[in-house]
Short mmCIF file of all heavy atoms in Angstrom, two decimals:
data_model
loop_
_atom_site.label_atom_id
_atom_site.label_comp_id
_atom_site.label_asym_id
_atom_site.label_seq_id
_atom_site.Cartn_x
_atom_site.Cartn_y
_atom_site.Cartn_z
N MET A 1 175.72 115.56 56.74
CA MET A 1 174.29 115.39 56.40
C MET A 1 173.67 114.37 57.36
O MET A 1 174.09 113.23 57.44
CB MET A 1 174.18 114.88 54.95
CG MET A 1 172.79 114.98 54.39
SD MET A 1 172.68 114.09 52.84
CE MET A 1 174.05 114.81 51.93
N ASP A 2 172.68 114.77 58.10
CA ASP A 2 172.10 113.90 59.13
C ASP A 2 171.31 112.75 58.52
O ASP A 2 171.25 111.66 59.09
CB ASP A 2 171.16 114.71 60.04
CG ASP A 2 171.92 115.73 60.86
OD1 ASP A 2 173.12 115.52 61.08
OD2 ASP A 2 171.31 116.72 61.26
N ASP A 3 170.69 113.00 57.37
CA ASP A 3 169.81 111.99 56.81
C ASP A 3 170.46 111.23 55.64
O ASP A 3 169.80 110.80 54.72
CB ASP A 3 168.50 112.63 56.35
CG ASP A 3 168.74 113.84 55.46
OD1 ASP A 3 169.91 114.17 55.23
OD2 ASP A 3 167.75 114.42 54.99
N TYR A 4 171.79 111.09 55.72
CA TYR A 4 172.53 110.41 54.65
C TYR A 4 172.03 108.98 54.43
O TYR A 4 171.77 108.57 53.30
CB TYR A 4 174.02 110.41 54.96
CG TYR A 4 174.85 109.60 54.00
CD1 TYR A 4 175.16 110.08 52.74
CD2 TYR A 4 175.33 108.34 54.36
CE1 TYR A 4 175.91 109.35 51.86
CE2 TYR A 4 176.09 107.59 53.48
CZ TYR A 4 176.38 108.10 52.23
OH TYR A 4 177.12 107.36 51.35
N ASP A 5 171.91 108.21 55.52
CA ASP A 5 171.48 106.82 55.39
C ASP A 5 170.08 106.73 54.78
O ASP A 5 169.80 105.86 53.96
CB ASP A 5 171.50 106.13 56.75
CG ASP A 5 172.91 105.93 57.27
OD1 ASP A 5 173.84 105.88 56.43
OD2 ASP A 5 173.09 105.84 58.48
N GLU A 6 169.22 107.64 55.20
CA GLU A 6 167.86 107.68 54.66
C GLU A 6 167.88 108.02 53.17
O GLU A 6 167.18 107.43 52.36
CB GLU A 6 167.05 108.71 55.44
CG GLU A 6 165.58 108.74 55.09
CD GLU A 6 164.85 109.83 55.88
OE1 GLU A 6 165.30 110.15 56.99
OE2 GLU A 6 163.86 110.36 55.35
N LEU A 7 168.74 108.99 52.81
CA LEU A 7 168.87 109.38 51.41
C LEU A 7 169.31 108.19 50.56
O LEU A 7 168.67 107.85 49.56
CB LEU A 7 169.89 110.52 51.29
CG LEU A 7 170.26 110.94 49.87
CD1 LEU A 7 169.17 111.84 49.29
CD2 LEU A 7 171.59 111.66 49.83
N VAL A 8 170.39 107.53 50.98
CA VAL A 8 170.95 106.43 50.19
C VAL A 8 169.96 105.27 50.11
O VAL A 8 169.85 104.61 49.07
CB VAL A 8 172.30 105.97 50.80
CG1 VAL A 8 172.73 104.65 50.21
CG2 VAL A 8 173.35 107.05 50.56
N SER A 9 169.21 105.03 51.20
CA SER A 9 168.28 103.90 51.18
C SER A 9 167.13 104.14 50.20
O SER A 9 166.44 103.20 49.81
CB SER A 9 167.74 103.64 52.59
OG SER A 9 166.88 104.69 52.99
N SER A 10 166.91 105.40 49.81
CA SER A 10 165.85 105.72 48.85
C SER A 10 166.33 105.58 47.41
O SER A 10 165.52 105.61 46.48
CB SER A 10 165.36 107.15 49.06
OG SER A 10 164.88 107.32 50.38
N LEU A 11 167.64 105.43 47.20
CA LEU A 11 168.21 105.41 45.85
C LEU A 11 168.45 103.98 45.40
O LEU A 11 168.47 103.05 46.20
CB LEU A 11 169.53 106.19 45.83
CG LEU A 11 169.43 107.65 46.29
CD1 LEU A 11 170.82 108.29 46.34
CD2 LEU A 11 168.51 108.44 45.37
N THR A 12 168.64 103.81 44.08
CA THR A 12 168.84 102.49 43.51
C THR A 12 170.32 102.28 43.20
O THR A 12 170.89 103.02 42.39
CB THR A 12 168.04 102.36 42.20
OG1 THR A 12 166.67 102.65 42.48
CG2 THR A 12 168.16 100.97 41.62
N PRO A 13 170.98 101.29 43.82
CA PRO A 13 172.40 101.05 43.54
C PRO A 13 172.60 100.64 42.08
O PRO A 13 171.84 99.81 41.56
CB PRO A 13 172.77 99.90 44.48
CG PRO A 13 171.70 99.86 45.50
CD PRO A 13 170.46 100.38 44.84
N ARG A 14 173.59 101.21 41.42
CA ARG A 14 173.86 100.90 40.02
C ARG A 14 175.24 100.31 39.81
O ARG A 14 175.42 99.43 38.98
CB ARG A 14 173.72 102.16 39.16
CG ARG A 14 172.28 102.62 38.97
CD ARG A 14 171.45 101.57 38.28
NE ARG A 14 170.10 102.03 38.03
CZ ARG A 14 169.06 101.21 37.90
NH1 ARG A 14 169.23 99.91 38.02
NH2 ARG A 14 167.87 101.70 37.67
N GLN A 15 176.23 100.82 40.49
CA GLN A 15 177.60 100.33 40.34
C GLN A 15 178.29 100.41 41.68
O GLN A 15 178.05 101.33 42.43
CB GLN A 15 178.41 101.19 39.35
CG GLN A 15 178.10 100.98 37.89
CD GLN A 15 179.05 101.81 37.03
OE1 GLN A 15 180.26 101.79 37.24
NE2 GLN A 15 178.50 102.54 36.09
N GLU A 16 179.17 99.46 41.92
CA GLU A 16 179.94 99.52 43.15
C GLU A 16 181.32 98.95 42.92
O GLU A 16 181.46 97.86 42.37
CB GLU A 16 179.21 98.73 44.25
CG GLU A 16 179.93 98.81 45.59
CD GLU A 16 179.07 98.29 46.74
OE1 GLU A 16 177.85 98.11 46.53
OE2 GLU A 16 179.62 98.09 47.82
N SER A 17 182.34 99.69 43.30
CA SER A 17 183.70 99.18 43.26
C SER A 17 184.31 99.45 44.64
O SER A 17 183.61 99.92 45.54
CB SER A 17 184.51 99.89 42.17
OG SER A 17 184.71 101.24 42.51
N ASP A 18 185.58 99.16 44.79
CA ASP A 18 186.21 99.36 46.09
C ASP A 18 186.18 100.82 46.52
O ASP A 18 186.09 101.14 47.70
CB ASP A 18 187.67 98.89 46.05
CG ASP A 18 187.75 97.38 45.97
OD1 ASP A 18 186.75 96.72 46.29
OD2 ASP A 18 188.81 96.86 45.59
N SER A 19 186.22 101.72 45.54
CA SER A 19 186.38 103.13 45.89
C SER A 19 185.19 104.00 45.53
O SER A 19 185.03 105.08 46.09
CB SER A 19 187.62 103.70 45.21
OG SER A 19 187.51 103.56 43.81
N VAL A 20 184.35 103.54 44.61
CA VAL A 20 183.26 104.39 44.13
C VAL A 20 181.95 103.61 44.12
O VAL A 20 181.90 102.47 43.68
CB VAL A 20 183.56 104.91 42.69
CG1 VAL A 20 182.38 105.71 42.16
CG2 VAL A 20 184.81 105.77 42.68
N LYS A 21 180.90 104.24 44.62
CA LYS A 21 179.56 103.67 44.52
C LYS A 21 178.69 104.65 43.76
O LYS A 21 178.77 105.87 44.00
CB LYS A 21 178.95 103.44 45.90
CG LYS A 21 179.61 102.32 46.69
CD LYS A 21 178.90 102.17 48.03
CE LYS A 21 179.64 101.17 48.91
NZ LYS A 21 179.10 101.15 50.28
N ILE A 22 177.85 104.15 42.88
CA ILE A 22 176.95 105.01 42.12
C ILE A 22 175.51 104.57 42.37
O ILE A 22 175.19 103.38 42.27
CB ILE A 22 177.26 104.94 40.60
CG1 ILE A 22 178.70 105.39 40.35
CG2 ILE A 22 176.28 105.82 39.82
CD1 ILE A 22 179.13 105.29 38.90
N TYR A 23 174.68 105.53 42.73
CA TYR A 23 173.27 105.28 42.97
C TYR A 23 172.45 106.13 42.02
O TYR A 23 172.77 107.29 41.78
CB TYR A 23 172.88 105.69 44.40
CG TYR A 23 173.63 104.98 45.50
CD1 TYR A 23 174.82 105.50 45.99
CD2 TYR A 23 173.14 103.81 46.04
CE1 TYR A 23 175.51 104.86 47.01
CE2 TYR A 23 173.81 103.16 47.06
CZ TYR A 23 175.00 103.69 47.54
OH TYR A 23 175.67 103.06 48.56
N GLN A 24 171.37 105.55 41.50
CA GLN A 24 170.48 106.31 40.62
C GLN A 24 169.28 106.80 41.42
O GLN A 24 168.70 106.08 42.23
CB GLN A 24 170.00 105.42 39.46
CG GLN A 24 169.18 106.21 38.44
CD GLN A 24 168.76 105.36 37.26
OE1 GLN A 24 168.96 104.14 37.25
NE2 GLN A 24 168.18 105.99 36.27
N ASN A 25 168.92 108.04 41.16
CA ASN A 25 167.78 108.67 41.83
C ASN A 25 166.54 108.43 40.98
O ASN A 25 166.21 109.22 40.11
CB ASN A 25 168.06 110.17 42.00
CG ASN A 25 166.92 110.90 42.69
OD1 ASN A 25 166.03 110.29 43.26
ND2 ASN A 25 166.98 112.22 42.62
N THR A 26 165.86 107.32 41.24
CA THR A 26 164.69 106.96 40.44
C THR A 26 163.40 107.53 41.03
O THR A 26 162.33 107.35 40.46
CB THR A 26 164.55 105.43 40.33
OG1 THR A 26 164.47 104.89 41.65
CG2 THR A 26 165.73 104.82 39.60
N VAL A 27 163.51 108.17 42.18
CA VAL A 27 162.31 108.64 42.86
C VAL A 27 162.22 110.17 42.91
O VAL A 27 161.38 110.72 43.62
CB VAL A 27 162.22 108.05 44.28
CG1 VAL A 27 161.95 106.55 44.21
CG2 VAL A 27 163.47 108.31 45.09
N GLY A 28 163.13 110.85 42.18
CA GLY A 28 163.02 112.31 42.06
C GLY A 28 163.35 113.08 43.31
O GLY A 28 162.81 114.16 43.55
N LEU A 29 164.26 112.54 44.14
CA LEU A 29 164.66 113.26 45.35
C LEU A 29 165.35 114.57 44.99
O LEU A 29 166.02 114.67 43.97
CB LEU A 29 165.62 112.41 46.18
CG LEU A 29 165.03 111.19 46.89
CD1 LEU A 29 166.14 110.48 47.65
CD2 LEU A 29 163.93 111.61 47.85
N ALA A 30 165.21 115.55 45.83
CA ALA A 30 165.86 116.84 45.62
C ALA A 30 167.32 116.78 46.06
O ALA A 30 167.66 116.15 47.07
CB ALA A 30 165.14 117.92 46.40
N CYS A 31 168.18 117.42 45.28
CA CYS A 31 169.59 117.55 45.63
C CYS A 31 169.71 118.42 46.88
O CYS A 31 169.13 119.50 46.94
CB CYS A 31 170.32 118.19 44.46
SG CYS A 31 172.00 118.69 44.80
N PRO A 32 170.47 117.97 47.88
CA PRO A 32 170.59 118.77 49.10
C PRO A 32 171.34 120.08 48.89
O PRO A 32 171.23 121.00 49.71
CB PRO A 32 171.34 117.85 50.07
CG PRO A 32 171.94 116.78 49.24
CD PRO A 32 171.15 116.68 47.98
N ALA A 33 172.08 120.18 47.79
CA ALA A 33 172.85 121.40 47.55
C ALA A 33 172.04 122.46 46.80
O ALA A 33 172.11 123.64 47.11
CB ALA A 33 174.13 121.08 46.78
N CYS A 34 171.27 122.04 45.79
CA CYS A 34 170.60 123.04 44.94
C CYS A 34 169.09 122.87 44.89
O CYS A 34 168.41 123.66 44.25
CB CYS A 34 171.19 123.00 43.53
SG CYS A 34 170.72 121.55 42.58
N ASP A 35 168.57 121.82 45.52
CA ASP A 35 167.12 121.58 45.60
C ASP A 35 166.48 121.12 44.30
O ASP A 35 165.28 120.85 44.27
CB ASP A 35 166.37 122.81 46.12
CG ASP A 35 166.56 122.99 47.62
OD1 ASP A 35 166.87 121.99 48.29
OD2 ASP A 35 166.39 124.12 48.10
N ASP A 36 167.25 121.04 43.20
CA ASP A 36 166.71 120.42 41.99
C ASP A 36 166.84 118.90 42.11
O ASP A 36 167.71 118.40 42.82
CB ASP A 36 167.50 120.89 40.75
CG ASP A 36 167.12 122.31 40.35
OD1 ASP A 36 166.08 122.80 40.81
OD2 ASP A 36 167.89 122.91 39.59
N SER A 37 166.00 118.17 41.41
CA SER A 37 166.13 116.71 41.38
C SER A 37 167.45 116.34 40.71
O SER A 37 167.81 116.89 39.68
CB SER A 37 164.95 116.14 40.60
OG SER A 37 165.13 114.76 40.42
N PHE A 38 168.17 115.39 41.31
CA PHE A 38 169.44 114.96 40.71
C PHE A 38 169.27 113.61 40.03
O PHE A 38 168.27 112.92 40.25
CB PHE A 38 170.57 114.92 41.75
CG PHE A 38 170.33 113.96 42.90
CD1 PHE A 38 170.86 112.69 42.87
CD2 PHE A 38 169.58 114.36 44.01
CE1 PHE A 38 170.65 111.81 43.92
CE2 PHE A 38 169.36 113.48 45.06
CZ PHE A 38 169.89 112.21 45.02
N ASP A 39 170.23 113.25 39.17
CA ASP A 39 170.13 111.99 38.42
C ASP A 39 170.84 110.85 39.15
O ASP A 39 170.30 109.77 39.29
CB ASP A 39 170.73 112.16 37.03
CG ASP A 39 169.95 113.18 36.22
OD1 ASP A 39 168.73 112.99 36.08
OD2 ASP A 39 170.54 114.16 35.77
N ASN A 40 172.07 111.10 39.56
CA ASN A 40 172.84 110.06 40.23
C ASN A 40 173.60 110.66 41.41
O ASN A 40 173.99 111.83 41.39
CB ASN A 40 173.85 109.43 39.26
CG ASN A 40 173.20 108.64 38.16
OD1 ASN A 40 172.66 107.56 38.39
ND2 ASN A 40 173.21 109.18 36.96
N LEU A 41 173.83 109.80 42.40
CA LEU A 41 174.72 110.13 43.50
C LEU A 41 175.96 109.26 43.37
O LEU A 41 175.85 108.04 43.28
CB LEU A 41 174.05 109.87 44.85
CG LEU A 41 174.98 109.87 46.08
CD1 LEU A 41 175.63 111.23 46.28
CD2 LEU A 41 174.22 109.44 47.32
N ILE A 42 177.13 109.88 43.31
CA ILE A 42 178.39 109.16 43.25
C ILE A 42 179.11 109.37 44.57
O ILE A 42 179.35 110.50 44.98
CB ILE A 42 179.26 109.68 42.08
CG1 ILE A 42 178.48 109.58 40.76
CG2 ILE A 42 180.57 108.89 42.00
CD1 ILE A 42 179.18 110.26 39.60
N VAL A 43 179.41 108.27 45.26
CA VAL A 43 180.10 108.33 46.54
C VAL A 43 181.54 107.89 46.33
O VAL A 43 181.80 106.76 45.92
CB VAL A 43 179.42 107.42 47.58
CG1 VAL A 43 180.14 107.51 48.93
CG2 VAL A 43 177.95 107.80 47.75
N CYS A 44 182.48 108.80 46.56
CA CYS A 44 183.91 108.53 46.37
C CYS A 44 184.55 108.28 47.73
O CYS A 44 184.57 109.17 48.57
CB CYS A 44 184.59 109.71 45.69
SG CYS A 44 183.85 110.16 44.11
N GLN A 45 185.05 107.07 47.92
CA GLN A 45 185.49 106.66 49.25
C GLN A 45 186.99 106.63 49.44
O GLN A 45 187.46 106.47 50.56
CB GLN A 45 184.91 105.27 49.56
CG GLN A 45 183.39 105.28 49.53
CD GLN A 45 182.80 103.90 49.62
OE1 GLN A 45 182.99 103.07 48.75
NE2 GLN A 45 182.08 103.65 50.69
N ASP A 46 187.76 106.77 48.35
CA ASP A 46 189.21 106.81 48.48
C ASP A 46 189.68 108.25 48.59
O ASP A 46 188.96 109.19 48.26
CB ASP A 46 189.88 106.15 47.27
CG ASP A 46 189.96 104.64 47.45
OD1 ASP A 46 189.60 104.14 48.53
OD2 ASP A 46 190.39 103.96 46.50
N GLU A 47 190.94 108.40 49.03
CA GLU A 47 191.49 109.75 49.15
C GLU A 47 191.56 110.42 47.78
O GLU A 47 191.35 111.62 47.66
CB GLU A 47 192.88 109.67 49.78
CG GLU A 47 193.48 111.01 50.08
CD GLU A 47 194.80 110.90 50.84
OE1 GLU A 47 195.26 109.76 51.05
OE2 GLU A 47 195.35 111.94 51.19
N PHE A 48 191.89 109.61 46.76
CA PHE A 48 191.89 110.10 45.39
C PHE A 48 191.01 109.19 44.55
O PHE A 48 191.10 107.96 44.68
CB PHE A 48 193.31 110.09 44.79
CG PHE A 48 194.25 111.01 45.50
CD1 PHE A 48 195.12 110.52 46.46
CD2 PHE A 48 194.27 112.37 45.24
CE1 PHE A 48 196.00 111.35 47.13
CE2 PHE A 48 195.14 113.22 45.90
CZ PHE A 48 196.00 112.71 46.86
N ASN A 49 190.19 109.77 43.70
CA ASN A 49 189.34 109.00 42.80
C ASN A 49 189.37 109.66 41.44
O ASN A 49 189.48 110.87 41.34
CB ASN A 49 187.89 108.97 43.29
CG ASN A 49 187.75 108.29 44.64
OD1 ASN A 49 187.68 107.08 44.75
ND2 ASN A 49 187.72 109.08 45.70
N THR A 50 189.27 108.84 40.39
CA THR A 50 189.20 109.36 39.03
C THR A 50 187.90 108.88 38.41
O THR A 50 187.60 107.69 38.45
CB THR A 50 190.39 108.86 38.20
OG1 THR A 50 191.59 109.29 38.82
CG2 THR A 50 190.32 109.42 36.78
N LEU A 51 187.15 109.80 37.86
CA LEU A 51 185.87 109.47 37.23
C LEU A 51 185.92 109.83 35.76
O LEU A 51 186.37 110.91 35.41
CB LEU A 51 184.72 110.23 37.90
CG LEU A 51 184.54 110.02 39.41
CD1 LEU A 51 183.48 110.99 39.92
CD2 LEU A 51 184.14 108.60 39.71
N GLY A 52 185.44 108.94 34.91
CA GLY A 52 185.26 109.27 33.51
C GLY A 52 183.80 109.58 33.26
O GLY A 52 182.93 108.78 33.59
N LEU A 53 183.52 110.74 32.72
CA LEU A 53 182.13 111.15 32.50
C LEU A 53 181.73 110.90 31.05
O LEU A 53 182.49 111.18 30.13
CB LEU A 53 181.96 112.64 32.82
CG LEU A 53 182.35 113.06 34.25
CD1 LEU A 53 182.11 114.55 34.44
CD2 LEU A 53 181.58 112.26 35.28
N ASP A 54 180.54 110.35 30.88
CA ASP A 54 180.07 110.02 29.54
C ASP A 54 179.53 111.24 28.79
O ASP A 54 179.48 111.25 27.58
CB ASP A 54 178.96 108.98 29.61
CG ASP A 54 179.46 107.66 30.16
OD1 ASP A 54 180.66 107.37 29.97
OD2 ASP A 54 178.67 106.92 30.75
N PHE A 55 179.08 112.21 29.52
CA PHE A 55 178.50 113.40 28.88
C PHE A 55 178.59 114.56 29.85
O PHE A 55 178.88 114.38 31.04
CB PHE A 55 177.05 113.16 28.46
CG PHE A 55 176.27 112.35 29.44
CD1 PHE A 55 175.78 112.93 30.60
CD2 PHE A 55 176.05 110.99 29.22
CE1 PHE A 55 175.08 112.17 31.53
CE2 PHE A 55 175.35 110.23 30.17
CZ PHE A 55 174.86 110.83 31.31
N ALA A 56 178.32 115.76 29.32
CA ALA A 56 178.41 116.95 30.16
C ALA A 56 177.32 116.93 31.22
O ALA A 56 176.17 116.58 30.94
CB ALA A 56 178.27 118.20 29.30
N MET A 57 177.68 117.26 32.43
CA MET A 57 176.68 117.33 33.49
C MET A 57 177.12 118.36 34.53
O MET A 57 178.30 118.67 34.67
CB MET A 57 176.49 115.97 34.15
CG MET A 57 177.74 115.36 34.73
SD MET A 57 177.44 113.72 35.42
CE MET A 57 177.52 112.70 33.97
N ASP A 58 176.13 118.88 35.24
CA ASP A 58 176.42 119.74 36.38
C ASP A 58 176.57 118.85 37.61
O ASP A 58 175.88 117.84 37.73
CB ASP A 58 175.29 120.74 36.60
CG ASP A 58 175.18 121.76 35.48
OD1 ASP A 58 176.20 121.99 34.81
OD2 ASP A 58 174.09 122.29 35.28
N ILE A 59 177.45 119.24 38.49
CA ILE A 59 177.72 118.42 39.67
C ILE A 59 177.66 119.29 40.92
O ILE A 59 178.31 120.33 40.99
CB ILE A 59 179.11 117.73 39.56
CG1 ILE A 59 179.11 116.75 38.39
CG2 ILE A 59 179.46 117.02 40.85
CD1 ILE A 59 180.45 116.05 38.18
N CYS A 60 176.87 118.85 41.89
CA CYS A 60 176.88 119.44 43.23
C CYS A 60 177.65 118.49 44.14
O CYS A 60 177.64 117.27 43.94
CB CYS A 60 175.46 119.61 43.75
SG CYS A 60 174.46 120.80 42.82
N THR A 61 178.32 119.03 45.13
CA THR A 61 179.17 118.19 45.98
C THR A 61 178.83 118.38 47.45
O THR A 61 178.29 119.40 47.86
CB THR A 61 180.67 118.53 45.78
OG1 THR A 61 180.93 119.81 46.35
CG2 THR A 61 181.03 118.52 44.32
N HIS A 62 179.18 117.35 48.20
CA HIS A 62 179.02 117.41 49.65
C HIS A 62 180.07 116.46 50.23
O HIS A 62 180.43 115.47 49.59
CB HIS A 62 177.61 116.95 50.05
CG HIS A 62 177.38 116.91 51.53
ND1 HIS A 62 177.32 118.03 52.30
CD2 HIS A 62 177.21 115.86 52.38
CE1 HIS A 62 177.11 117.69 53.58
NE2 HIS A 62 177.04 116.37 53.64
N VAL A 63 180.58 116.75 51.39
CA VAL A 63 181.51 115.84 52.07
C VAL A 63 180.80 115.25 53.27
O VAL A 63 180.26 115.98 54.11
CB VAL A 63 182.79 116.57 52.52
CG1 VAL A 63 183.68 115.62 53.30
CG2 VAL A 63 183.54 117.12 51.31
N HIS A 64 180.76 113.90 53.32
CA HIS A 64 180.09 113.20 54.42
C HIS A 64 181.06 112.22 55.04
O HIS A 64 181.46 111.24 54.41
CB HIS A 64 178.85 112.46 53.89
CG HIS A 64 178.17 111.63 54.94
ND1 HIS A 64 177.34 112.18 55.89
CD2 HIS A 64 178.22 110.30 55.22
CE1 HIS A 64 176.90 111.22 56.69
NE2 HIS A 64 177.42 110.07 56.31
N GLU A 65 181.48 112.48 56.26
CA GLU A 65 182.38 111.60 57.00
C GLU A 65 183.59 111.19 56.16
O GLU A 65 183.97 110.02 56.11
CB GLU A 65 181.61 110.37 57.49
CG GLU A 65 180.53 110.75 58.50
CD GLU A 65 179.76 109.54 59.01
OE1 GLU A 65 179.99 108.43 58.52
OE2 GLU A 65 178.90 109.74 59.91
N GLY A 66 184.16 112.16 55.46
CA GLY A 66 185.37 111.90 54.69
C GLY A 66 185.14 111.40 53.29
O GLY A 66 186.08 111.31 52.51
N ASP A 67 183.91 111.02 52.95
CA ASP A 67 183.60 110.60 51.59
C ASP A 67 183.11 111.81 50.79
O ASP A 67 182.33 112.63 51.30
CB ASP A 67 182.49 109.55 51.56
CG ASP A 67 182.91 108.25 52.19
OD1 ASP A 67 184.13 108.05 52.39
OD2 ASP A 67 182.03 107.43 52.47
N ALA A 68 183.54 111.91 49.54
CA ALA A 68 183.03 112.97 48.68
C ALA A 68 181.76 112.46 48.00
O ALA A 68 181.74 111.39 47.41
CB ALA A 68 184.08 113.32 47.61
N LEU A 69 180.70 113.22 48.11
CA LEU A 69 179.44 112.89 47.46
C LEU A 69 179.27 113.82 46.27
O LEU A 69 179.38 115.05 46.41
CB LEU A 69 178.24 113.07 48.39
CG LEU A 69 178.29 112.42 49.78
CD1 LEU A 69 176.93 112.55 50.45
CD2 LEU A 69 178.71 110.97 49.71
N LEU A 70 178.99 113.26 45.11
CA LEU A 70 178.75 114.05 43.91
C LEU A 70 177.31 113.81 43.47
O LEU A 70 176.91 112.67 43.24
CB LEU A 70 179.70 113.64 42.77
CG LEU A 70 181.19 113.56 43.11
CD1 LEU A 70 181.97 113.14 41.88
CD2 LEU A 70 181.70 114.89 43.64
N PHE A 71 176.55 114.87 43.36
CA PHE A 71 175.19 114.79 42.87
C PHE A 71 175.19 115.29 41.44
O PHE A 71 175.54 116.45 41.18
CB PHE A 71 174.25 115.67 43.72
CG PHE A 71 174.18 115.23 45.16
CD1 PHE A 71 175.10 115.69 46.09
CD2 PHE A 71 173.21 114.33 45.57
CE1 PHE A 71 175.03 115.27 47.43
CE2 PHE A 71 173.13 113.92 46.90
CZ PHE A 71 174.05 114.38 47.82
N THR A 72 174.84 114.43 40.48
CA THR A 72 174.95 114.81 39.08
C THR A 72 173.60 115.26 38.52
O THR A 72 172.56 114.71 38.87
CB THR A 72 175.49 113.64 38.21
OG1 THR A 72 174.51 112.60 38.14
CG2 THR A 72 176.78 113.08 38.81
N HIS A 73 173.68 116.26 37.67
CA HIS A 73 172.50 116.79 36.98
C HIS A 73 172.81 116.82 35.49
O HIS A 73 173.73 117.52 35.06
CB HIS A 73 172.19 118.23 37.43
CG HIS A 73 171.92 118.37 38.90
ND1 HIS A 73 170.65 118.26 39.42
CD2 HIS A 73 172.73 118.64 39.95
CE1 HIS A 73 170.70 118.45 40.74
NE2 HIS A 73 171.94 118.68 41.09
N LYS A 74 172.06 116.05 34.71
CA LYS A 74 172.21 116.15 33.24
C LYS A 74 171.60 117.44 32.75
O LYS A 74 170.65 117.96 33.34
CB LYS A 74 171.50 114.97 32.56
CG LYS A 74 172.15 113.64 32.79
CD LYS A 74 171.28 112.54 32.19
CE LYS A 74 171.65 111.19 32.78
NZ LYS A 74 170.61 110.19 32.56
N HIS A 75 172.11 117.90 31.61
CA HIS A 75 171.54 119.11 31.02
C HIS A 75 170.25 118.79 30.28
O HIS A 75 170.11 117.71 29.77
CB HIS A 75 172.54 119.73 30.02
CG HIS A 75 173.70 120.36 30.73
ND1 HIS A 75 173.62 121.58 31.35
CD2 HIS A 75 174.94 119.90 30.96
CE1 HIS A 75 174.79 121.85 31.90
NE2 HIS A 75 175.60 120.87 31.70
ZN1 ZN B 101 172.41 119.95 42.84
#
């Protein structure tokens, strides 16, 4: 994704650990995968990551420079 840095700079950081960063989409940006507005972007930076989800959501994915990007959509 060419505009990754621009995308992330538009989002609000919510959580950060060594392996996972979570950003909230407070400005209604469109998901690059499905064009619907997404709720959060989860950036997984380790080779393996485990996520616990609080509720059911749809997830779009993208791989950027070896990091897995998860775009979450609540129902
Ligand atoms: Zn999507």
Side-chain angles (χ1 to χ4, degrees):
M1 194 191 307
D2 293 336
D3 51 359
Y4 174 76
D5 291 335
E6 187 182 332
L7 173 79
V8 167
S9 70
S10 302
L11 302 175
T12 304
R14 288 299 183 205
Q15 284 184 48
E16 183 167 347
S17 68
D18 289 342
S19 59
V20 176
K21 290 181 186 171
I22 300 176
Y23 301 90
Q24 186 177 7
N25 180 13
T26 57
V27 291
L29 289 180
C31 170
C34 72
D35 285 337
D36 284 344
S37 173
F38 61 96
D39 297 304
N40 292 288
L41 167 63
I42 304 171
V43 181
C44 303
Q45 300 171 297
D46 276 355
E47 186 174 4
F48 297 98
N49 298 277
T50 301
L51 302 173
L53 302 181
D54 295 332
F55 39 78
M57 58 182 82
D58 292 336
I59 295 178
C60 295
T61 71
H62 177 69
V63 176
H64 175 78
E65 295 181 355
D67 294 345
L69 310 188
L70 310 180
F71 298 87
T72 69
H73 300 270
K74 291 174 198 163
H75 288 282

